[in-house]
Structures are given as structure tokens and as C-alpha cells.
Amino acid sequence: CGPSNSGTKQKKNNRQKYRRNTKMNDLLGHELRKALSDHNHVSGQRKNRAAAAATGDLFDEWVNELDFHDMVSSKEAKKEYFLAADDLANVRYEPIGGGFGIGPPTKCYLHEHLVKTSVRKHGRAGVVKKLEARHKREEKKRMKEEQAEQARKRLKTITNTSADGAAAAAAATKTASASDTQEIKNLRKGLLKMVKRNMGFQMSGAPKNWRIEVPGTSKATFAALVGRPTDVDLDSFVKKGAYYTEQYEASKLLGTDQAQLIKDFNREGVRQEIGSTVTVRYKPSTMELSISGYAEMYATMAYRLFGSSDF
């Protein structure tokens, strides 16, 4: 008995689908191979970044920074490959993570596909121009960071160096008292209350990111809040554009221990804990201070049902 018509038709469709996919892959790879034809690129190999920077070949460095099968999140895809949301609309992705209480999954793309999409959009010369501009920005940022690091070392030397031990102890006491004024203590308590009022939930049920603003903040207050009360001129901080931005420990900034960083949501049967690190941004020209961060969520309903609120 010969094969049925339906089985023959299915095999034919499968062969046609395979040919279409093969043709599409060849088409996707053609433009990149053309752009890299004089660079002897081998998929999956990494190139020494220092060597690439030394020769000024930023394009090769960019292409070979990751293996072609490595996955990149949508946020990084836009930033590192100079793409917009519309550019990613037709690029294949793999959903990773997500679930109840933690939000939707993250869209992740293959490095190979992102390189091809970027080259297709900007052309090789356009990508090189953007890479050069980014390299200049990073070099300028690195120089600012080095200058700030030198200023921090000078501050530390001034604080710690003394002719004798008694003078050093006095300097340390002075520094501690300067960072522990009653005004700063009260401000930290107020910041903690503001943060807790801004904690809540996203539509998905995940903890929302929070942000608070404190207008009329002086340079001295900003420096004291992030643990450098003697640097009233902010020489040890790195300024990017109009802002100083610092990553700082939440417990230190809010002047409390880890136990006080928790907020209970009794109706939902969960508690949220302020994330361990917060972002502090300060704009001296307008004296604007903003603090932002995230929260982690834990279930507590099961424990309360048994008469305990501890988790």
C-alpha cells in the first residue's frame, strides 16, 4: 500500500519550509559577511579588546565582544547596538524569566542577529561613527573618574595623616561628628518614611520601582548623605552632564538597619524590602536631589495564618 496523499503533502510542505528558512538565513548573513569580508571574522571566537583598541579597530572589537550565540536583553540591545524598539520588532527573541510576582519575561536576542540588524540599519561606516563617539564619551568619563578618585585619596590623606596619634583620633572624631549631625539624622528618617510611602505594586503584581525627590538640597547635605561630609565642593564625585550620580547602600543612606527597610502589605499577605542599593542623583544648579531604587517581595500569609508575623 503506497503512502497517503496527506503524508506526501506534509513532506512536501516540510521541504519547502526548510528551503525558505535556509534562504532567509543566507539572506541575513550576506550583509554581515560583506561588511566583514576584509576582517577575517570567525563566528564564536573572541578578540582581545585591548589589542582591538590599540589598533583602533572598534568595529572588530564590537563584533567579537560576544560569541554570536550569546543572548542580550532588549535594554542592552538598544544601548549597545544603537537600535530602537521598532528595529527589534522583527528580530527573533527568546523570552527568559518572568512569572507571578516578578513581572513579564525578558526578551533576549542573539548577538549575531543584533549585529546584523545594526549593520543593516546604519551601514558599517555608520556603526563605526557611533562606536567612535561612544569611545570618546567613555574616555572622558574615565578621566573624570580618575580625577575624582585622586580627590578621594587626598581627602582620606587629610583625614588620616597627622603628626601624632592623638591628632589623628581627633580628626576621625571630627569627621564622624560632621557626618552625624542632628540635621542629617532627621533627614535620613524623613527619607525612609518617604520611600515607604512610595512603595507599591506594578499591574503585574511585582514590586514597583520607587523614586523620591528632595528639593533645596545643598552640596554639603548631599555630600554628608553619601558619607563624604568634608567634601563640600564635591571634588571627589564624578559629574555627568548636570548631575552627580552615586550608587549607595540603602541602610547607610536611610540611617537604619536592614530590619527597618521592610514594609508589610497585610491585605496582600506579602512584605517588601527596600533593595540593598539605591541611586542618588544630585543637580547642584537647581539643588535637586532624587533617590530611586527597587524592592524585593516575600510572602507572609502562610506564617500569619499560624499566628506569627516573622519571616
Side-chain angles (χ1 to χ4, degrees):
C1 183
S4 65
N5 290 335
S6 60
T8 303
K9 186 176 181 180
Q10 182 63 43
K11 290 181 180 180
K12 183 177 180 181
N13 289 339
N14 289 340
R15 287 195 297 270
Q16 290 175 342
K17 183 178 180 181
Y18 173 79
R19 284 195 293 268
R20 283 197 302 270
N21 290 339
T22 302
K23 185 177 181 181
M24 179 61 69
N25 289 334
D26 289 344
L27 184 62
L28 286 172
H30 173 71
E31 200 163 337
L32 183 62
R33 287 196 299 272
K34 181 179 178 182
L36 300 176
S37 59
D38 56 346
H39 292 275
N40 297 322
H41 175 266
V42 179
S43 177
Q45 292 184 352
R46 293 180 183 271
K47 191 170 185 177
N48 185 281
R49 295 189 65 181
T55 60
D57 200 342
L58 296 175
F59 186 79
D60 258 5
E61 176 189 350
W62 175 70
V63 170
N64 293 291
E65 187 173 12
L66 297 176
D67 290 337
F68 265 20
H69 60 266
D70 284 342
M71 303 297 291
V72 181
S73 69
S74 56
K75 181 178 179 180
E76 288 298 307
K78 297 173 187 176
K79 177 183 176 182
E80 298 296 332
Y81 300 85
F82 315 108
L83 299 172
D86 291 344
D87 301 320
L88 297 174
N90 296 319
V91 181
R92 282 188 309 178
Y93 68 88
E94 181 178 343
I96 296 178
F100 178 75
I102 58 175
T106 300
K107 293 181 178 180
C108 291
Y109 304 83
L110 282 174
H111 170 64
E112 176 183 10
H113 294 169
L114 294 173
V115 169
K116 292 173 181 175
T117 304
S118 185
V119 171
R120 182 183 297 114
K121 177 180 180 180
H122 303 289
R124 185 184 185 281
V127 171
V128 170
K129 187 175 181 180
K130 290 182 177 295
L131 290 170
E132 289 174 345
R134 184 167 70 185
H135 181 69
K136 289 180 181 178
R137 291 194 301 269
E138 290 174 349
E139 282 295 303
K140 187 180 294 186
K141 179 182 177 183
R142 183 184 60 79
M143 291 179 63
K144 288 182 178 179
E145 289 173 347
E146 287 180 356
Q147 292 171 355
E149 179 62 26
Q150 292 174 1
R152 286 193 289 270
K153 288 180 179 179
R154 287 195 297 269
L155 281 174
K156 187 176 181 180
T157 301
I158 292 172
T159 302
N160 296 336
T161 302
S162 179
D164 53 48
T173 302
K174 182 178 180 181
T175 301
S177 62
S179 63
D180 198 27
T181 63
Q182 191 60 45
E183 178 186 2
I184 296 299
K185 281 185 177 180
N186 293 338
L187 179 56
R188 294 188 195 280
K189 290 179 181 178
L191 293 176
L192 178 60
K193 292 179 181 179
M194 292 172 66
V195 171
K196 288 190 174 182
R197 282 199 298 267
N198 278 269
M199 295 170 71
F201 301 89
Q202 300 178 25
M203 291 296 292
S204 64
K208 73 173 184 179
N209 295 335
W210 53 265
R211 184 176 184 274
I212 61 174
E213 296 182 355
V214 186
T217 302
S218 67
K219 291 182 179 180
T221 299
F222 165 68
L225 281 174
V226 292
R228 301 179 208 167
T230 59
D231 187 12
V232 294
D233 293 324
L234 309 184
D235 292 329
S236 64
F237 295 87
V238 179
K239 191 176 184 182
K240 184 177 181 181
Y243 290 89
Y244 292 96
T245 303
E246 290 289 315
Q247 300 294 320
Y248 203 64
E249 289 183 42
S251 57
K252 289 183 178 180
L253 181 76
L254 302 174
T256 187
D257 56 27
Q258 202 71 18
Q260 299 302 315
L261 300 180
I262 293 173
K263 179 177 180 179
D264 287 314
F265 292 86
N266 295 324
R267 188 174 64 178
E268 291 82 3
V270 298
R271 64 173 40 171
Q272 290 187 17
E273 181 178 335
I274 298 171
S276 59
T277 304
V278 297
T279 300
V280 186
R281 298 186 77 211
Y282 179 61
K283 188 177 182 180
S285 60
T286 57
M287 301 179 71
E288 295 176 8
L289 176 73
S290 67
I291 305 168
S292 58
Y294 65 97
E296 297 177 340
M297 188 165 65
Y298 307 92
T300 60
M301 180 65 74
Y303 292 84
R304 289 201 169 89
L305 288 175
F306 290 94
S308 172
S309 60
D310 295 328
F311 185 72

